[in-house]
Amino acid sequence: MARPAPWNWVVYPVALIAGTALGCLNALAIIVLRLSPLIVTLATLSLYRGIALHLTGGREMLVFGSIREFGRGMVAIGIGYPVVAMFALAALATVLLRHVSIGRFVLAVGGSERSARENGIPTHRVLFFAYGFAGFAAAVAGLVLVGRVGAVNPDLGWQFEFTVITAVVLGGTSLLGGKGSIRGAIVAAVVLSTISNGLNLIGADPFIYDVVRGCVLLFAVVLDAAAQLRTPAIRTV
């Protein structure tokens, strides 16, 4: 069995820097090319995944040492490192949205980039921050997932984006921008995980998962559209 390299901790700063940089690259493409954020992020999703598959040769690669420990280890009171990382990121994002001007700027740009620019908000800096932070959070999630699985797998994280979108929208974040809820997204993610685990426990057909997830997403979008008609104002929860 391969033994862990003494320097494998280097993967943490490298992964976090890479995730942040790739997120900023998305923002740069959106700003310079003036493309739809949805199109850019979907395109780079395929691009980045393709690069990762090329670098690994499409092979499963086992990980050891501190990389695996981050996904499976626990702090002194029996709480796993992934849970600590989740609450730390959630707390940071909540503070930014509620108490720091950049968080309010993010919501303003999401609601209407043109109006935000006309009111003197540095929209380009806000976009770089938002996409950079998203890339940083994605890198943390990737480290957790690789650590829990114990390997870098070509199918790792496949179609997770749809689960994420469903959790975010169901949690109260508007697809039209200008409104977001960190707490709601966490609760929605827990609900979706509970549904998935429940279906697994009762031995349901695995393909039913996508049906349920699609129905939940459609339901969340309908609720979001109805909420936009009632309360168009920008707000956070």
Side-chain angles (χ1 to χ4, degrees), residues 20-84:
T20 304
L22 292 177
C24 291
L25 187 60
N26 282 358
L28 182 64
I30 292 169
I31 293 170
V32 174
L33 301 179
R34 299 181 181 276
L35 298 176
S36 165
L38 178 62
I39 299 301
V40 170
T41 49
L42 286 177
T44 54
L45 169 65
S46 178
L47 172 64
Y48 299 157
R49 180 173 287 158
I51 293 174
L53 289 173
H54 173 72
L55 292 176
T56 61
R59 301 186 303 272
E60 183 178 87
M61 303 174 64
L62 300 180
V63 297
F64 302 93
S66 60
I67 304 175
R68 184 176 295 187
E69 176 66 17
F70 183 59
R72 303 182 181 184
M74 295 185 179
V75 296
I77 57 176
I79 299 177
Y81 289 141
V83 176
V84 175

Side-chain angles (χ1 to χ4, degrees), residues 12 101 124 150 196:
Y12 295 107
S101 57
H124 290 178
S196 178

Side-chain angles (χ1 to χ4, degrees), residues 87-103:
F87 279 112
L89 276 176
L92 176 60
T94 299
V95 170
L96 288 174
L97 285 179
R98 290 186 175 182
H99 305 294
V100 182
S101 57
I102 188 66

Side-chain angles (χ1 to χ4, degrees), residues 42-186:
L42 286 177
T44 54
L45 169 65
S46 178
L47 172 64
Y48 299 157
R49 180 173 287 158
I51 293 174
L53 289 173
H54 173 72
L55 292 176
T56 61
R59 301 186 303 272
E60 183 178 87
M61 303 174 64
L62 300 180
V63 297
F64 302 93
S66 60
I67 304 175
R68 184 176 295 187
E69 176 66 17
F70 183 59
R72 303 182 181 184
M74 295 185 179
V75 296
I77 57 176
I79 299 177
Y81 289 141
V83 176
V84 175
M86 180 195 70
F87 279 112
L89 276 176
L92 176 60
T94 299
V95 170
L96 288 174
L97 285 179
R98 290 186 175 182
H99 305 294
V100 182
S101 57
I102 188 66
R104 309 301 299 183
F105 290 167
V106 168
L107 291 172
V109 172
S112 174
E113 184 176 351
R114 178 179 177 181
S115 296
R117 186 184 304 110
E118 291 175 349
N119 281 280
I121 294 176
T123 55
H124 290 178
R125 294 182 184 178
V126 172
L127 288 174
F128 272 109
F129 170 80
Y131 284 94
F133 187 85
F136 177 86
V140 173
L143 288 170
V144 169
L145 188 57
V146 169
R148 290 189 64 81
V149 174
V152 176
N153 190 296
D155 294 330
L156 202 61
W158 184 260
Q159 291 190 337
F160 271 21
E161 59 272 17
F162 297 107
T163 302
V164 172
I165 293 172
T166 303
V168 169
V169 175
L170 186 62
T173 298
S174 174
L175 288 175
L176 299 179
K179 185 177 71 172
S181 172
I182 304 299
R183 180 180 58 191
I186 293 176

